[in-house]
Amino acid sequence: MLVWLVALYLLVSIGIGLFAATRVHNTKDFAVAGRHLPLPVVIATVFATWFGAEAVFGVSATFVKEGLGGVVADPFGASLCLIIAGFFFTAFLYKLNIITLGDYYRMRYNRTVEVLTTICIVISYLGWVAAQVKALGLVFHVVTDGAISQNWGMVLGIAIVLTYTTFGGMLSVAILDFVQMLMIMVGLLFIGWIVADKIGGVAPVIAHASQAGKLDFFPPPDAMQWLAFIGTGMTMMLGSVPQQDVFQRITSAKSGKVAIWGSIIGAITYFCFAFIPMFIAYSATLIDPNLFGAILENDSQMVLPTLVLSEHVPLLAQALFFGAVLSAIMSTASATLLAPSVSFSENILRDFFPHMTDHGVLRAMRISLFVFALCVLAFALLSGASIFQMVENAYKITLVGAFVPLFAGAFWKRASTQGALFAIGGGIASWLLIEILIGEASAVPPQLIGFCCSLAGMILGSLLPQWVGRPTPHEDVHAALHHRAASETHHIAGHDRL
């Protein structure tokens, strides 16, 4: 019965996504949903940015083992990222009417910077989307009681997500995010209520977690531990800002006001709901300490699904939970498959075929989506990293290679093309060097060193005599971007309304 209920939910989701695809007529509809999304849908799609595999399985398992200090990246860093990105994208980029972040890098600096940052962004999605695919495989394996292996579950999961995302793009993603957010909220709250009733309420769980030291957020007064704490938080908080999926979700809003309020409310909603899987997973260790203690040692990601499938949870609650989990993962996976495909087509492929029509670009985006999905599936099948590790590692490359050029270009008038190239090269080279030669033995997190080198590269490269490119006058960037956006969207203006 559980399998049939989950299968029915998946069929309904695919149907909704394919129905939304009938409204996609051009690249703007496909990439940013025509920029006509109302506030409730923007809130839902921003919320779904992070509420995926790592929030349900990864963060909850990490909290049970390490406490709040272990989840500084997510939900704390992730929520702050959405607020920072919301203010930044709305105040500076929304009004420019561009489709990708790469468009900004190109106009503010040059083609080389656009390509390098786009490559960083695309690579970062490998680990992020692979984490969602891995979680889909886990869910199908658990729900079918092992009839579908985790590997075949990954194949099935990515095929489902690919079906509606390929046709509907961001519009299908946004509409499904709204439907799936409701499922997530209902399912997790219902499970949380059942679990709380089993152990006498919420207060005993909080009291037990506090006594066990799980609610200690800040590290002890040790320099090395504080550096690790800061590096972990910064990776998600800042490294996630120059991400195409975050940009697409926020700038799909119908106005700047809707975009900023959607990002703030979505971030707050995510932060609050991220604690529900933590509560449920920790409650499991109190309901049956022996069983879940053993699971925690062997595979902590199985704590939550094992609890839900136990005799403590009725069938309806099981169906709601796995429906909610699939909602969360599919919402995240669909948008994060779409984002790198749009960036690659718009900022790398398009220049090789300058005479492509808008429909030609749309076709290229769909083909790129399919190819990237195959790469992600291969990575998920071959990687031995946990879901949380995949997500946490995904944004190191954008932290060291893309964040500084993005923000310096917006807020520092003297930021130049040479400075951006120094920032990208210095940040990535230093980070990779530390990761390869020292790795986890490094006293300072490699990505934190890379970020500092990127910042230093931007400052030095912009202040030194300009040998590479010419400094782009800050005040000219807005005019250039507006001119490009107007020329690109003029011929598809008739399709802008849904």
Side-chain angles (χ1 to χ4, degrees):
M1 180 61 71
L2 178 61
V3 173
W4 283 110
L5 289 172
V6 171
L8 177 62
Y9 171 77
L10 290 174
L11 288 173
V12 171
S13 296
I14 294 172
I16 294 172
L18 292 177
F19 173 76
T22 61
R23 304 297 185 90
V24 174
H25 305 291
N26 51 58
T27 54
K28 192 174 181 182
D29 290 342
F30 190 80
V32 289
R35 300 187 76 174
H36 290 296
L37 298 183
L39 181 61
V41 180
V42 175
I43 292 172
T45 197
V46 169
F47 169 83
T49 303
W50 293 124
F51 210 96
E54 79 295 340
V56 179
F57 295 125
V59 174
S60 60
T62 304
F63 170 76
V64 173
K65 294 179 72 174
E66 303 176 26
L68 282 182
V71 295
V72 58
D74 193 3
F76 294 94
S79 301
L80 287 172
C81 159
L82 293 176
I83 294 174
I84 293 169
F87 277 107
F88 175 71
F89 291 150
T90 304
F92 192 73
L93 295 182
Y94 181 86
K95 58 180 178 282
L96 301 180
N97 199 30
I98 54 179
I99 292 178
T100 69
L101 284 173
D103 292 341
Y104 172 75
Y105 286 113
R106 181 175 189 173
M107 299 305 297
R108 180 62 177 90
Y109 302 111
N110 66 4
R111 168 70 175 160
T112 304
V113 174
E114 174 194 24
V115 171
L116 291 175
T117 51
T118 300
I119 290 172
C120 287
I121 291 169
V122 170
I123 290 174
S124 72
Y125 279 105
L126 270 177
W128 175 244
V129 188
Q132 314 310 312
V133 174
K134 202 160 192 172
L136 284 170
L138 177 67
V139 172
F140 285 125
H141 177 70
V142 170
V143 168
T144 60
D145 196 23
I148 297 178
S149 69
Q150 289 196 38
N151 287 349
W152 279 110
M154 293 183 203
V155 175
L156 176 61
I158 204 164
I160 292 169
V161 173
L162 194 60
T163 299
Y164 65 80
T165 310
T166 301
F167 293 101
M170 190 61 203
L171 189 56
S172 289
V173 170
I175 293 174
L176 274 172
D177 282 349
F178 182 72
V179 175
Q180 290 168 337
M181 189 180 92
L182 298 178
M183 279 291 296
I184 293 166
M185 290 182 169
V186 172
L188 289 179
L189 286 173
F190 187 38
I191 291 288
W193 176 72
I194 291 174
V195 170
D197 185 60
K198 292 281 183 183
I199 53 179
V202 176
V205 180
I206 296 176
H208 190 281
S210 179
Q211 291 174 3
K214 300 297 183 181
L215 302 186
D216 297 336
F217 180 64
F218 295 105
D222 178 81
M224 295 301 102
Q225 291 190 47
W226 268 96
L227 283 173
F229 179 82
I230 293 170
T232 302
M234 281 182 60
T235 300
M236 191 72 85
M237 182 173 64
L238 301 183
S240 309
V241 172
Q243 287 294 328
Q244 179 63 21
D245 69 307
V246 177
F247 172 79
Q248 284 176 223
R249 291 175 186 273
I250 294 173
T251 56
S252 296
K254 66 179 182 180
S255 69
K257 186 177 180 181
V258 169
I260 195 166
W261 279 110
S263 65
I264 292 171
I265 298 173
I268 294 171
T269 306
Y270 168 73
F271 182 79
C272 295
F273 266 83
F275 284 92
I276 298 179
M278 294 188 220
F279 169 79
I280 297 172
Y282 194 82
S283 299
T285 63
L286 303 183
I287 293 174
D288 193 336
N290 294 329
L291 172 63
F292 292 104
I295 294 173
L296 196 62
E297 290 297 323
N298 297 325
D299 187 358
S300 57
Q301 295 172 156
M302 288 297 297
V303 169
L304 212 55
T306 303
L307 171 66
V308 174
L309 287 175
S310 69
E311 60 184 14
H312 302 288
V313 180
L315 177 63
L316 176 61
Q318 291 176 356
L320 282 173
F321 172 80
F322 285 108
V325 168
L326 286 171
S327 298
I329 299 169
M330 288 166 59
S331 295
T332 304
S334 54
T336 47
L337 270 177
L338 178 66
S341 308
V342 169
S343 292
F344 177 78
S345 303
E346 179 73 12
N347 299 117
I348 296 179
L349 194 62
R350 194 168 192 168
D351 263 37
F352 289 100
F353 304 96
H355 301 296
M356 265 200 305
T357 63
D358 185 72
H359 284 285
V361 176
L362 180 58
R363 190 181 307 112
M365 287 180 178
R366 285 171 167 156
I367 294 172
S368 300
L369 182 70
F370 180 78
V371 174
F372 187 74
L374 294 181
C375 296
V376 166
L377 179 61
F379 184 76
L381 290 170
L382 296 174
S383 176
S386 70
I387 292 170
F388 191 78
Q389 288 171 332
M390 282 183 170
V391 171
E392 194 174 20
N393 292 333
Y395 297 111
K396 290 179 180 179
I397 189 170
T398 44
L399 175 68
V400 302
F403 177 80
V404 170
L406 179 68
F407 265 68
F411 299 111
W412 189 34
K413 292 184 178 181
R414 296 194 62 176
S416 68
T417 299
Q418 179 173 281
L421 291 172
F422 280 23
I424 297 168
I428 293 177
S430 57
W431 166 62
L432 286 176
L433 193 64
I434 303 286
E435 283 279 11
I436 293 170
L437 296 181
I438 304 176
E440 294 182 358
S442 175
V444 181
Q447 71 270 23
L448 189 56
I449 295 174
F451 173 77
C452 293
C453 290
S454 179
L455 187 61
M458 171 58 75
I459 295 171
L460 289 174
S462 299
L463 295 180
L464 288 172
Q466 300 301 298
W467 297 299
V468 181
R470 68 173 182 86
T472 306
H474 187 268
E475 59 273 13
D476 290 350
V477 174
H478 295 284
L481 281 168
H482 276 300
H483 176 74
R484 181 188 178 193
S487 65
E488 287 181 345
T489 57
H490 176 73
H491 68 288
I492 59 172
H495 295 295
D496 280 352
R497 294 191 64 83
L498 300 182

